[in-house]
Amino acid sequence: MIEVNGLVKNYGPKRAVDGVSFTVRKGDILGFLGPNGAGKSTTMKMITGFLRPTAGTAVVDGHDVTRDPVAVKRRLGYLPESAPAYGEMTVAEFLAFIAETRGYRDAAARRERVERAINLTHLESVRAQAIETLSKGYKQRVGFAQALLHDPAVLILDEPTDGLDPNQKHEVRSLIKKMAADKAVVLSTHILEEVEAICTRVIIINHGKVVVDETPEQFRARRPGARLDEIFRSLTTADA
Amino acid sequence: MSPITPVLKREFLGYFRSPVAYVFLVVFLAASVGLAFFVGRFFDNGQASLESYFVFHPWLFLFLIPAVGMRLWSEEKRTGTVELLFTLPVTTLQAVLAKFFAAWIFLGIAILLGVVPMAATVGYLGDPDWGVMISSTLGSLLMAGAYLGVCSLMSSLTKNQVISFVLGVIACLVLLFLGWSVFNDVLYAAFPVWLADLLANFSFASHFDAFTRGIIDPKDVVYFLSVAGFSLFLNVLALER
């Protein structure tokens, strides 16, 4: 579903992402880990077609993002970090706008899409409220609703549980798990338990390079008995 | 159908979801009519024409259009919604055009809200030349488009709306002053005549002038449209950087 081939991104003289390659298959939930500034968000933004890679490419569902970004964007749902949205719109208005832009021109089809997204993310109670008045947890859910509105084959989630309380985190995780069977999901996170809880694969990225690409079990087996964050620390500070 | 429509619609309605639209409309109407009455001596002239109304438009636009244009891209960049917009199946050109036209339609409404009552007043009190009024209105609309294109470009360069506003005012000021006689003398002193002529030709004011005298010269129409078009082309490039 997603094939990432040697992605490189330079910001001026600084190389933020340095030859990242991996593949994600249908049914995979890939946990994308790494210290702040390691290049997680940049890599994700390149896969979504928002940033143009300096070199390399990503192929999403058979479409090369450097050649046909719009085709990739059609097939992909993306939750950007901190879930930006047009704050002055109500939840329902905003989702209707997303649906219309995503090509649901028919009013009935659009309403059905919006209803489905609202139900999936439990936004019924705030549907007529302006997004800027919502709490962080609800805003995050609006971002979620927007990302999965068109039932995309690929979901890219940048810190989907950031800022949520434990109940909301649990809910978001079960939602991701529920949807993942027929999708390829990439999610970035700082929370190592999250990886254990839902991910089928772990990639750790440090200084723009992939340092680990394995299953959570293999990751844990690196140092039996050690806590996950200890393993993470030893992998991401050793070469710093 | 292209995704221009929903983006345009959202952007346009966005003006009315916040106080921006109402504040702008009130200020624009008060300022444009106020200038005509108190500075332009609209009544004292004793003429059934809107000349004293339209003559201030290039100067009014200098501040009011950057105020509309400054948020076009800066706001999207600051709130991060630009990331949302450009991960929807929309090309950069479509997004730039959609936002530009939304703002242009909004400005068009503001201009018509000012012109129609003024024209009705003049029509009631006297026997005005309607052709001149129509050409002046058309010129004002086209000039607004050119100002807006420049301001949209400036807005795409920064996520700070204050910087965006200042850049917009300065860029428009240069384009306006190129045709001002005082500034022209400087131009002719500093540059060879052909270059000074060329530069002076790039002024908003001199192209707008013909419209206010009732002349719709295709050259002037093309001028305003190409200033807007070229700015938007650079706008696309700036966003795709």
Side-chain angles (χ1 to χ4, degrees), chain A:
Chain A
M1 285 285 213
I2 311 175
E3 249 175 85
V4 177
N5 298 314
L7 277 183
V8 174
K9 182 70 188 177
N10 293 341
Y11 288 119
K14 194 179 167 283
R15 180 157 287 195
V17 174
D18 189 4
V20 166
S21 300
F22 58 85
T23 53
V24 189
R25 285 177 305 271
K26 195 169 157 176
D28 272 354
I29 303 178
L30 174 73
F32 213 46
L33 294 172
N36 281 331
K40 298 190 299 281
S41 288
T42 307
T43 305
M44 293 176 121
K45 283 176 192 173
M46 285 191 283
I47 299 173
T48 60
F50 177 66
L51 284 180
R52 202 181 305 182
T54 309
T57 188
V59 179
V60 175
D61 211 8
H63 296 271
D64 188 322
V65 74
T66 56
R67 283 206 209 103
D68 193 356
V70 171
V72 168
K73 288 167 187 179
R74 234 173 241 134
R75 284 160 181 82
L76 178 141
Y78 174 47
L79 171 66
E81 198 174 346
S82 72
Y86 296 107
E88 75 282 0
M89 299 177 100
T90 70
V91 173
E93 279 170 349
F94 175 69
L95 293 176
F97 159 67
I98 299 284
E100 200 177 345
T101 315
R102 287 223 173 259
Y104 297 99
R105 294 298 140 95
D106 176 52
R110 188 159 67 234
R111 206 169 316 123
E112 189 238 303
R113 280 284 129 188
V114 171
E115 286 316 309
R116 182 181 155 274
I118 285 181
N119 288 336
L120 270 173
T121 49
H122 302 300
L123 285 165
E124 294 90 348
S125 59
V126 294
R127 59 186 306 147
Q129 218 171 308
I131 296 172
E132 61 198 355
T133 64
L134 297 178
S135 69
K136 178 135 200 207
Y138 274 117
K139 272 187 191 150
Q140 194 78 5
R141 283 196 233 172
V142 172
F144 235 102
Q146 161 275 124
L148 48 81
L149 184 122
H150 54 303
D151 200 16
V154 171
L155 268 181
I156 310 274
L157 310 170
D158 201 348
E159 306 199 356
T161 58
D162 185 48
L164 301 187
D165 69 38
N167 296 334
Q168 294 166 333
K169 275 185 187 161
H170 178 80
E171 205 174 295
V172 164
R173 284 175 197 161
S174 49
L175 182 63
I176 295 173
K177 246 179 169 165
K178 202 166 70 188
M179 290 186 314
D182 57 348
K183 294 191 198 310
V185 180
V186 178
L187 64 93
S188 74
T189 180
H190 285 296
I191 308 157
L192 291 153
E193 306 88 75
E194 196 153 290
V195 173
E196 275 214 301
I198 54 172
C199 293
T200 58
R201 254 175 70 212
V202 191
I203 282 183
I204 294 182
I205 180 168
N206 195 25
H207 299 299
K209 287 197 170 96
V210 173
V211 291
V212 168
D213 181 355
E214 56 199 16
T215 64
E217 293 76 37
Q218 287 166 324
F219 183 64
R220 182 165 273 290
R222 281 176 175 254
R223 270 168 64 188
R227 294 212 326 270
L228 285 179
D229 54 349
E230 285 169 350
I231 309 178
F232 177 82
R233 271 231 306 286
S234 69
L235 282 165
T236 54
T237 51
D239 58 338

Side-chain angles (χ1 to χ4, degrees), chain B residues 16-50:
Chain B
F16 297 95
R17 288 200 180 96
S18 68
V20 174
Y22 305 102
V23 171
F24 178 84
L25 288 175
V26 168
V27 171
F28 177 78
L29 295 178
S32 67
V33 176
L35 281 170
F37 272 77
F38 298 112
V39 185
R41 309 228 152 257
F42 179 65
F43 274 129
D44 300 348
N45 285 341
Q47 282 174 18
S49 101
L50 289 185

